[in-house]
Amino acid sequence: MKAMILAAGRGERMRELTRYIPKPLLEVNGKALIEHQLERLTSAGFLEIVVNVAYLGDLIVARLGDGSAYGATIEYSREVEGALGTGGGVRQALSLLGGGPIAIVNADVWSDYPYAQLRPPPKAGVHTVLVPNPAHVPKGDFGLKDGALSRDGSPRYTFSGIATYDSGLFAGEAGESFSLVRVIDGAIGCGRATGELFEGVWMDVGTPQRYQSLLHVEQQN
């Protein structure tokens, strides 16, 4: 599979931290969040990677280059800021991603999930990685039972921002802008959505408070 890192968001909730740099370039242990993702992906064998960029995207391109410094090949999908949503961004990048399954991860996720174990999706479906519900998502996003994903089932867990998708799911979506959640819901409706529970290290670095918490934890390690 090729992999895609979603890095086009503005990071509105990060306030002053992202005024001059995009959220994926916020640093932990001397490396940008997106660099940590790149290193984990390449060490797992994902060597062809697409990164979508919009807000201050030239800074991301300048930092990562062609990917050779990370042992990978990086191609960029440039977007108009705020125009496509997460799902629309993937659809725009399909010509770079090719056919078949794709691994898609959020640039602002901090995790030790073993990407080498990431399962391919069912045909015309999606396979998601879920995590125990953090404080900011107390009710979770999806139900998971016997490996099958649902909207209303239980127990409920939170979507990690890590998943594999059949690329055909995006070509069939209507509208220019749409979210990955809509794609997942469509796969659930067709009975082609699976999931797994990951209980290791995971954090959505979506607010200044969570970013500072991550820095504090890493300083202690």
Side-chain angles (χ1 to χ4, degrees):
M1 287 185 285
K2 287 189 176 183
M4 182 170 182
I5 302 177
L6 301 179
R10 184 180 178 88
E12 294 282 2
R13 294 175 297 172
M14 300 300 281
R15 304 188 187 116
E16 296 301 313
L17 292 175
T18 56
R19 174 170 290 189
Y20 302 112
I21 63 170
K23 183 166 60 170
L25 293 187
L26 293 176
E27 292 193 352
V28 179
N29 294 335
K31 295 179 183 177
L33 288 168
I34 195 170
E35 288 181 297
H36 286 284
Q37 285 284 38
L38 272 172
E39 290 180 351
R40 295 195 65 81
L41 285 166
T42 55
S43 67
F46 291 92
L47 304 182
E48 296 179 84
I49 297 172
V50 174
V51 178
N52 68 334
V53 294
Y55 175 66
L56 299 178
D58 286 343
L59 297 180
I60 295 176
V61 175
R63 181 70 167 260
L64 305 183
D66 63 3
S68 58
Y70 308 91
T73 299
I74 298 177
E75 295 185 275
Y76 296 94
S77 177
R78 296 179 181 270
E79 302 176 12
V80 175
E81 187 181 332
L84 298 178
T86 50
V90 176
R91 182 170 62 185
Q92 176 175 286
L94 285 180
S95 62
L96 303 175
L97 291 162
I102 345 164
I104 301 176
V105 303
N106 292 349
D108 58 355
V109 163
W110 178 267
S111 178
D112 63 357
Y113 177 82
Y115 285 126
Q117 298 179 26
L118 191 57
R119 289 168 49 187
K123 183 174 177 59
V126 58
H127 177 76
T128 60
V129 177
L130 306 181
V131 295
N133 300 329
H136 62 282
V137 194
K139 296 183 179 180
D141 297 311
F142 299 104
L144 180 66
K145 186 174 182 180
D146 299 327
L149 203 66
S150 66
R151 261 300 186 180
D152 302 319
S154 62
R156 294 182 61 79
Y157 301 106
T158 295
F159 179 44
S160 69
I162 302 168
T164 57
Y165 303 79
D166 187 306
S167 60
L169 293 175
F170 298 91
E173 283 287 341
E176 182 174 288
S177 177
F178 57 94
S179 71
L180 283 176
V181 172
R182 193 171 97 184
V183 175
I184 296 171
D185 283 342
I188 289 173
C190 296
R192 294 172 176 164
T194 60
E196 63 182 274
L197 177 63
F198 174 65
E199 299 186 86
V201 174
W202 179 87
M203 181 181 290
D204 166 21
V205 191
T207 66
Q209 294 76 20
R210 295 204 290 272
Y211 178 56
Q212 292 301 323
S213 176
L214 173 59
L215 294 179
H216 177 74
V217 169
E218 288 302 306
Q219 287 172 357
Q220 304 305 309
N221 292 336

